[in-house]
């Protein structure tokens, strides 16, 4: 599988040494996404991303931390300079 990222890099997910992992959307993620959407009015995409991070206990790296803050997931903006 080949994926184009927002930075226009191409990721070859079939490469044996690939360091990228695709996390499937399962029932737990769908249920959490529905809860985020209902409680925080996040978009479908943002809800699924936040729910995936929440269910897998991951930190989401994004420039758009404000879009996900209400969900309570762990966030980091890797482009932001430390204070």
């Amino acid at each position: 599988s080949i994926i184009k990222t927002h930075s226009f890099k191409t990721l070859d997910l079939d490469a044996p040494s690939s360091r990228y992992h695709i996390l499937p959307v399962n029932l737990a993620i769908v249920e959490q996404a529905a809860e985020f959407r209902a409680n925080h009015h996040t978009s479908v995409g943002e809800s699924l991303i936040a729910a995936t991070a929440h269910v897998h206990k991951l930190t989401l790296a994004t420039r758009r931390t404000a879009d996900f803050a209400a969900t309570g997931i762990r966030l980091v903006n890797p482009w932001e300079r430390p204070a």
Side-chain angles (χ1 to χ4, degrees):
S1 300
I2 302 291
I3 293 180
K4 286 283 192 181
T5 67
H6 290 290
S7 61
F8 302 104
K9 293 179 184 175
T10 301
L11 306 177
D12 183 358
L13 300 176
D14 294 324
S17 64
S18 179
R19 59 189 174 133
Y20 303 100
H21 303 280
I22 296 180
L23 301 173
V25 175
N26 58 29
L27 182 59
I29 292 171
V30 169
E31 289 174 341
Q32 184 63 60
E35 186 176 318
F36 283 153
R37 186 143 165 76
N39 294 336
H40 306 296
H41 308 289
T42 51
S43 70
V44 172
E46 289 168 348
S47 297
L48 286 169
I49 291 167
T52 301
H54 177 79
V55 168
H56 289 283
K57 297 177 176 35
L58 300 171
T59 299
L60 177 62
T62 180
R63 286 183 183 193
R64 297 176 21 233
T65 55
D67 295 345
F68 296 93
T71 65
I73 63 170
R74 289 184 311 238
L75 297 166
V76 63
N77 181 343
W79 294 271
E80 193 173 75
R81 292 179 186 243

